[in-house]
Amino acid sequence: SQELEQSPQSLIVQEGKNLTINCTSSKTLYGLYWYKQKYGEGLIFLMMLQKGGEEKSHEKITAKLDEKKQQSSLHITASQPSHAGIYLCGALNYGGSQGNLIFGKGTKLSVKP
Amino acid sequence: EPEVTQTPSHQVTQMGQEVILRCVPISNHLYFYWYRQILGQKVEFLVSFYNNEISEKSEIFDDQFSVERPDGSNFTLKIRSTKLEDSAMYFCASKGDRGSNQPQHFGDGTRLSIL
């Protein structure tokens, strides 16, 4: 079965600093989704990547999928307190047929003002 | 922006009791999902639903679980006889079509506490 490993597990950064979160898959990724979760709330969709080498940006967040489609990174530039939360990578389940997702354990981001 | 809504936000139930978690997916979406997240663990897939029937389910989704779309808007998850280990956050999600380039949109979840 497919597994997603995220690193680091947690991250504390000073406001204004850049940071990167990684997501590594045990199998080729056919769709990689980044979500943000605030404590006690739902998952907010950020970005989706499908093609090897693909890169997408939204505001100060950039996500990339490597050429081999087994690793993705999420980069935040000039972090702000509003970026704090848990970032989850999700992938289409390798064996699933209806698009169900498997998730990594998440990376907890804290931004100190 | 349209969103997935879930009720209640928190449900406390005695072990052995039945519980129904409710979801209103985004109105023009066709694919519906339930996931759960036990405290400190990964978000796990439970079941997917399309065209008024279950299309896929995980090992977690045993005979104690059932899903229903009783009308054109609600999508429910029923746990027939709750166990302590059912305590978790339950998320409903919906997607517009089968295409892999469509993201799933999640609700804020129902926190289920079994006593």
Side-chain angles (χ1 to χ4, degrees):
Chain A
S1 62
Q2 189 173 13
E3 296 279 334
L4 294 179
E5 293 292 328
Q6 284 188 241
S7 62
Q9 285 186 309
S10 66
L11 197 51
I12 302 173
V13 299
Q14 199 70 39
E15 183 177 356
K17 295 294 186 185
N18 302 337
L19 64 107
T20 300
I21 297 167
N22 294 301
C23 175
T24 303
S25 173
S26 58
K27 296 186 178 181
T28 302
L29 293 160
Y30 291 98
L32 189 284
Y33 302 78
W34 282 100
Y35 286 87
K36 179 184 175 185
Q37 182 181 26
K38 288 189 176 179
Y39 180 77
E41 297 182 16
L43 282 64
I44 300 166
F45 171 71
L46 296 175
M47 273 173 279
M48 182 196 71
L49 304 164
Q50 282 189 292
K51 300 175 185 175
E54 188 174 8
E55 179 175 321
K56 287 187 177 177
S57 293
H58 177 67
E59 297 179 344
K60 293 186 178 181
I61 301 177
T62 300
K64 299 179 186 179
L65 182 61
D66 74 338
E67 289 288 346
K68 290 184 179 179
K69 294 171 62 176
Q70 282 199 272
Q71 189 166 36
S72 178
S73 61
L74 187 83
H75 184 78
I76 299 177
T77 303
S79 57
Q80 300 167 359
S82 60
H83 287 128
I86 300 171
Y87 289 82
L88 298 172
C89 63
L92 290 174
N93 188 350
Y94 191 82
S97 61
Q98 294 299 326
N100 66 70
L101 298 176
I102 61 167
F103 287 91
K105 275 193 170 181
T107 295
K108 184 178 178 183
L109 172 63
S110 302
V111 180
K112 296 168 77 173
Chain B
E1 186 175 325
E3 56 183 28
V4 176
T5 57
Q6 289 186 243
T7 55
S9 56
H10 192 189
Q11 174 80 46
V12 182
T13 301
Q14 290 288 334
M15 186 172 62
Q17 295 295 307
E18 175 184 286
V19 66
I20 297 175
L21 309 183
R22 302 180 192 281
C23 169
V24 178
I26 294 173
S27 63
N28 61 343
H29 281 187
L30 303 175
Y31 291 83
F32 313 113
Y33 306 83
W34 283 101
Y35 292 82
R36 79 170 186 191
Q37 186 178 33
I38 294 172
L39 189 63
Q41 297 187 23
K42 295 181 182 183
V43 176
E44 302 172 288
F45 166 74
L46 291 178
V47 66
S48 59
F49 192 86
Y50 170 72
N51 200 26
N52 282 320
E53 61 182 22
I54 290 174
S55 44
E56 200 153 20
K57 58 184 180 180
S58 71
E59 292 176 352
I60 303 167
F61 194 88
D62 61 22
D63 292 344
Q64 295 298 315
F65 291 87
S66 62
V67 289
E68 198 176 37
R69 190 158 160 81
D71 53 42
S73 59
N74 289 286
F75 179 49
T76 62
L77 174 70
K78 182 193 289 187
I79 308 175
R80 189 172 21 245
S81 177
T82 50
K83 299 176 255 201
L84 292 176
E85 53 265 37
D86 293 328
S87 294
M89 194 78 161
Y90 288 80
F91 294 106
C92 172
S94 69
K95 189 174 78 159
D97 63 34
R98 188 173 181 171
S100 61
N101 61 353
Q102 296 296 313
Q104 292 177 29
H105 294 271
F106 285 74
D108 280 346
T110 293
R111 182 171 300 282
L112 178 62
S113 300
I114 307 300
L115 304 179

